[in-house]
Amino acid sequence: MTESGRSMDAVSGPHAGQPLLTAGAPALAADAALIACHGRGATAQGVINLMEPVSRHGVAVLAPQAERSRWYPRPSTAPRADNEPWLSSSVDCVADAVEAARAIDVPPERTVIAGFSQGACVAAEFVRRNPARYGGLAVLSGLLPGSTGELRSTSIDGSLEDTPVLVGYGADDPRVDRERVAETIRIFEEADAAVDERCYPDTGHEVTDDEFDAIGAMLEAVLEE
């Protein structure tokens, strides 16, 4: 059941004051957390519904809402500066959700961060800017934002300490470029992430059952620790 959540008052920029919805395990019963970022044109409630197949006992779900249902206005392939201040504000939303999980005694290493499409780009960008050991990162039909030149020169200032990272995409998805997939994987692997690349044939811009299974496995691994 989804709760009303709270306002993200600590977030600055365009997404300030947007809601953070919560669902799944209540605070006193949460042993792990799933932060879910919706795609452009979607909603926090929509991504909570999307992630229903990965629900597990003891997992609290936190879903931030983007202002006007978009995290940033330009394509993800645009230079990062062209998507500011929205991009940094969206990263602040994920940071707010991570702190909300920490406030119920679920630390980052027991938190899985996931996103679909533009939300996947936001989730990936948060981890790039905030390297640490997380329960997992699931990048679904999205990649690190920025121009191709920016990606080629990007490195992460810190270690992800074997954080499992799923990069899943459809072979027929026109929004996911293979060169950018390779650069995204390189960036995370060089920061000590355990990257699991999954390309699905005859699949477009969508989430597959196999990706739901992989996220569920991330959460179960955290719950079994």
Side-chain angles (χ1 to χ4, degrees):
M1 182 177 71
T2 303
E3 299 176 4
S4 58
R6 61 171 177 76
S7 174
M8 296 186 288
D9 294 328
V11 171
S12 61
H15 303 301
Q18 291 296 308
L20 176 68
L21 298 190
T22 58
L28 294 177
D31 294 318
L34 171 67
I35 294 173
C37 301
H38 65 76
R40 181 167 180 162
T43 64
Q45 183 60 63
V47 77
I48 287 174
N49 297 342
L50 177 70
M51 290 294 169
E52 178 62 27
V54 310
S55 65
R56 299 288 190 278
H57 182 74
V59 176
V61 181
L62 302 100
Q65 172 68 49
E67 192 266 343
R68 298 173 58 189
S69 288
R70 69 175 186 181
W71 293 110
Y72 45 82
R74 308 294 182 196
S76 297
T77 54
R80 293 179 191 127
D82 289 359
N83 275 316
E84 294 295 1
W86 294 270
L87 182 57
S88 290
S89 184
S90 67
V91 168
D92 285 350
C93 291
V94 182
D96 188 272
V98 170
E99 288 307 310
R102 199 194 301 270
I104 59 173
D105 293 328
V106 178
E109 59 267 27
R110 300 184 68 80
T111 298
V112 173
I113 303 170
F116 172 68
S117 191
Q118 196 180 68
C121 301
V122 171
E125 180 69 2
F126 168 80
V127 171
R128 183 185 77 80
R129 296 189 189 190
N130 299 276
R133 179 60 164 90
Y134 296 97
L137 168 66
V139 184
L140 310 174
S141 301
L143 299 165
L144 277 167
S147 68
T148 300
E150 285 175 323
L151 289 188
R152 287 173 180 163
S153 61
T154 291
S155 61
I156 295 178
D157 186 17
S159 175
L160 296 178
E161 304 175 38
D162 292 324
T163 294
V165 174
L166 169 66
V167 178
Y169 57 97
D172 295 337
D173 188 343
R175 304 180 192 180
V176 177
D177 178 82
R178 292 295 184 90
E179 181 180 358
R180 297 174 64 81
V181 170
E183 288 297 335
T184 296
I185 290 172
R186 175 193 63 78
I187 291 165
F188 284 127
E189 286 185 333
E190 288 182 355
D192 310 318
V195 179
D196 178 7
E197 177 187 1
R198 301 193 186 192
C199 179
Y200 302 96
D202 303 320
T203 301
H205 198 65
E206 59 190 274
V207 185
T208 67
D209 289 342
D210 185 70
E211 288 171 308
F212 287 132
D213 290 344
I215 296 170
M218 286 182 183
L219 292 167
E220 288 169 8
V222 170
L223 291 168
E224 290 171 359
E225 288 179 353

